[in-house]
Amino acid sequence: MLFDPQICELKDEKFAPFISVNEIETILCKSQNPSPEQIRSVIEVALSRRRLSMEQTALLLNARDEETRALIFDAARRLKREIYGERIVLFAPLYIGNRCINNCAYCGFRASNTDAIRRTLTDDEIVHEVQAMEAVGQKRSILVYGEHPAYDAEYIAHTVRLVYGTRHDADRINRVNINAAPFDVEGFRTVKEAGIGTYQIFQETYHPEVYKRFHPSGRKADYGWRLTAMDRAMEAGIDDVGLGVLLGLGDWRFEVLALVRHTNHLEACFGVGPHTISFPRIQRASNLDRAPLKLVSDEDFMLLVAVLRLAVPYTGLILTAREPRALRDRLIEFGVSQIDAGTQLEIGGYAERRGAQDLDKEQFELMDTRSLAQVVDELAERGQIPSFCTACYRKGRTGEHFMEFSTKGFIKRFCTPNALLTFAEYLEDYASEESRAKGYALIERKVAELDDPAIRSTVLDYLTRIRAGERDLLL
Ligand code: SAM
Ligand code: SF4
């Protein structure tokens, strides 16, 4: 059983606000000081692959001592290994423009920040950016925009098509996601028709009062319009949505429980939860006032990632290069399934940037500045398969994370083999000789671990053909 019947019976209505501060705070308050026994019994539910209720999630979030937290970390590690295997999907963001009418207090692009250097890429510049990304092996990208009348649904759809249509030799971006201000239902239909993968938008904070404080003006000041964005996206037929909160604004336990509440709302109203969840922590930005922030410590951050892994086990967890390398390495073990690599935040940065980060040209500071090649090498050294797979999207299998989780044997049959095959293509087309040798050593080990002889033999055959120059051989 995947969905808790209680969740399916939720009396939520589409397009209606569903967050009650009182409900979330009461649940958090009633779950103080959980005993190890309570934590163990919640973990048992999670490891049997069931969604956790808000009450169960709150018990995990309130684990404060080392012993109970260690139980949660172990369980998240186990769930990740058993369900998803040792592979990690790689992508890179592409900032299209930073004009913005809003005044989000934490963001370098806010309208009142007169030091921000404003720029929107021309079509030619977009093509150059994409070619520069393709030339190093990127296959998945998320396009990012400020909120501005110039970036309406038609314009965004146009940029998505432009990216899909851009080639560097035979290289191409196979999946284009977007992170853009919410549209009305019609607008969502427009961007869906352009073939977007995931529509991603972060609520930033689910607490209405905190929200008001950090979003004083502009379209984004309307909490309800943003809260119901995913309802409109799903109404328009986009069933691939990415939720998120910006950590450092409100109480992190409240925000994580609200993410679970949002997931319940989508499941109850549309029968499908989020494709991904993101949980960025606020980083340094141009003229950022840090005084009102409630920064989240590394220890709490690790716990909340592990709790999300257990609470919403079918959802992809995204951890961006906002976080330093060592922490990213640890969190991959606890359930993170997608990371960006080789990221440039400066607008035009893939084709043009030479030099240090300049916060007046970027939304915030990046902590992990490794190239895609370095990230790939280091993942492989640690036994993780870097995956560039976009097979589900290309073969029309939407909701890939959900299928991975819910379809028995799906990961062994599709995801692990496809991760290995796309990694081999990367090694052939973009890697140095040394990286190629190391990468193939990992592939050999992982192929030997495939327990279905028919799949193993298909993968071996495809690997030979990839070495001989064939591409796009996917299961
Ligand atoms: N303008 C659109 C919007 O606000 O929805 C697109 C998103 S914005 C370009 C991408 C995300 O970056 C925001 O939703 C926010 O969560 C995050 N962000 C903004 N300022 C940040 C900062 N100083 N540190 C880390 N993340 C930040
Ligand atoms: Fe604009 Fe988005 Fe930055 Fe807010 S977070 S100021 S909407 S770019």
Side-chain angles (χ1 to χ4, degrees):
M1 178 183 50
L2 189 59
F3 297 129
D4 190 315
Q6 261 179 322
I7 294 169
C8 286
E9 282 166 20
L10 259 182
K11 295 281 178 278
D12 280 12
E13 282 172 30
K14 294 179 191 175
F15 312 117
F18 49 86
I19 291 289
S20 152
V21 171
N22 187 38
E23 178 194 35
I24 295 174
E25 286 183 348
T26 305
I27 295 174
L28 280 171
C29 201
K30 282 189 183 156
S31 352
Q32 294 297 318
N33 304 316
S35 64
E37 288 65 41
Q38 280 177 301
I39 297 289
R40 277 196 194 94
S41 77
V42 175
I43 285 175
E44 214 179 292
V45 177
L47 290 181
S48 65
R49 300 183 174 214
R50 275 177 292 166
R51 279 283 325 276
L52 297 184
S53 66
M54 288 175 71
E55 287 74 10
Q56 290 165 328
T57 309
L59 285 169
L60 301 187
L61 289 171
N62 273 319
R64 287 168 204 260
D65 58 275
E66 245 177 70
E67 185 191 354
T68 47
R69 287 190 168 197
L71 292 171
I72 295 168
F73 291 140
D74 282 350
R77 218 181 268 121
R78 212 176 120 189
L79 195 80
K80 157 91 197 258
R81 235 188 351 243
E82 285 178 5
I83 298 186
Y84 293 100
E86 287 170 316
R87 72 201 154 82
I88 183 104
V89 170
L90 299 175
F91 71 97
L94 172 57
Y95 277 70
I96 301 289
N98 66 351
R99 293 171 75 186
C100 196
I101 53 164
N102 293 321
N103 262 313
C104 312
Y106 44 78
C107 177
F109 293 166
R110 67 192 179 280
S112 61
N113 184 18
T114 48
D115 286 342
I117 298 165
R118 307 279 165 188
R119 180 171 175 191
T120 303
L121 295 175
T122 63
D123 284 3
D124 277 353
E125 287 169 339
I126 292 176
V127 168
H128 288 138
E129 283 290 271
V130 174
Q131 287 174 332
M133 295 168 80
E134 290 170 342
V136 295
Q138 301 285 4
K139 300 290 177 202
R140 286 177 172 245
S141 183
I142 181 157
L143 310 188
V144 187
Y145 315 75
E147 179 159 4
H148 194 274
Y151 310 144
D152 60 10
E154 280 73 27
Y155 173 74
I156 287 175
H158 163 74
T159 56
V160 169
R161 290 198 177 93
L162 192 58
V163 174
Y164 275 128
T166 298
R167 300 277 180 282
H168 170 269
D169 299 330
D171 306 323
R172 51 185 283 191
I173 300 281
N174 290 321
R175 181 174 169 119
V176 180
N177 302 328
I178 60 169
N179 182 319
F183 311 102
D184 57 15
V185 175
E186 209 38 55
F188 277 117
R189 286 205 184 98
T190 304
V191 293
K192 180 183 161 58
E193 274 162 25
I196 61 163
T198 306
Y199 171 67
Q200 182 190 69
I201 194 77
F202 307 150
Q203 184 61 27
E204 320 295 11
T205 168
Y206 283 92
H207 197 294
E209 280 162 32
V210 179
Y211 189 93
K212 213 170 172 180
R213 235 179 291 139
F214 284 97
H215 304 96
S217 61
R219 187 75 178 96
K220 196 163 160 182
D222 186 341
Y223 170 94
W225 175 250
R226 200 166 177 91
L227 189 67
T228 51
M230 297 317 191
D231 292 35
R232 295 192 297 282
M234 288 201 170
E235 190 69 9
I238 299 173
D239 59 4
D240 220 321
V241 301
L243 303 183
V245 287
L246 182 60
L247 295 167
L249 305 179
D251 173 71
W252 63 267
R253 290 187 176 85
F254 180 96
E255 304 298 359
V256 174
L257 208 51
L259 277 171
V260 173
R261 182 66 183 82
H262 199 163
T263 299
N264 295 351
H265 173 77
L266 296 177
E267 284 184 10
C269 292
F270 300 94
V272 45
H275 182 64
T276 56
I277 295 183
S278 304
F279 27 81
R281 287 194 295 184
I282 293 189
Q283 302 299 323
R284 274 178 2 108
S286 171
N287 296 321
L288 171 70
D289 175 9
R290 293 169 77 86
L293 302 179
K294 284 189 168 185
L295 299 177
V296 179
S297 70
D298 285 356
E299 289 68 31
D300 289 341
F301 189 55
M302 288 196 294
L303 180 74
L304 75 88
V305 175
V307 172
L308 276 171
R309 178 64 303 147
L310 296 170
V312 195
Y314 62 76
T315 297
L317 298 183
I318 299 181
L319 183 67
T320 69
R322 290 173 178 87
E323 298 298 337
R325 177 193 147 174
L327 194 61
R328 291 177 108 197
D329 286 349
R330 286 202 72 186
L331 287 172
I332 287 171
E333 287 174 35
F334 295 160
V336 163
S337 53
Q338 294 191 24
I339 60 171
D340 56 335
T343 293
Q344 290 288 341
L345 291 186
E346 185 173 319
I347 297 176
Y350 290 102
E352 299 164 11
R353 199 184 114 195
R354 314 267 177 276
Q357 294 183 63
D358 176 350
L359 288 186
D360 290 335
K361 293 183 178 166
E362 304 183 9
Q363 194 184 15
F364 49 80
E365 186 179 30
L366 218 53
M367 300 304 283
D368 185 351
T369 54
R370 284 175 296 170
S371 67
L372 175 62
Q374 279 173 295
V375 172
V376 166
D377 265 9
E378 288 174 27
L379 284 171
E381 270 163 25
R382 296 174 51 247
Q384 297 279 344
I385 312 165
S387 175
F388 297 88
C389 181
T390 53
C392 285
Y393 173 71
R394 294 171 76 186
K395 295 192 174 193
R397 300 190 294 242
T398 56
E400 59 189 313
H401 283 292
F402 182 78
M403 299 229 298
E404 288 169 13
F405 178 77
S406 59
T407 312
K408 202 166 180 293
F410 190 92
I411 291 181
K412 284 190 178 159
R413 209 160 69 231
F414 295 109
C415 309
T416 307
N418 286 340
L420 291 167
L421 296 169
T422 55
F423 182 34
E425 286 194 10
Y426 173 88
L427 294 174
E428 290 297 323
D429 294 341
Y430 311 102
S432 67
E433 226 167 276
E434 193 190 339
S435 303
R436 197 173 307 140
K438 278 197 229 157
Y440 271 118
L442 174 70
I443 290 176
E444 234 174 76
R445 275 205 323 272
K446 296 288 179 186
V447 171
E449 287 169 15
L450 295 173
D451 46 19
D452 180 323
I455 293 176
R456 195 166 55 236
S457 114
T458 307
V459 170
L460 284 170
D461 171 43
Y462 282 9
L463 284 171
T464 311
R465 288 163 59 185
I466 288 170
R467 282 188 138 136
E470 270 190 75
R471 293 291 174 267
D472 275 341
L473 294 168
L474 293 170
L475 278 80

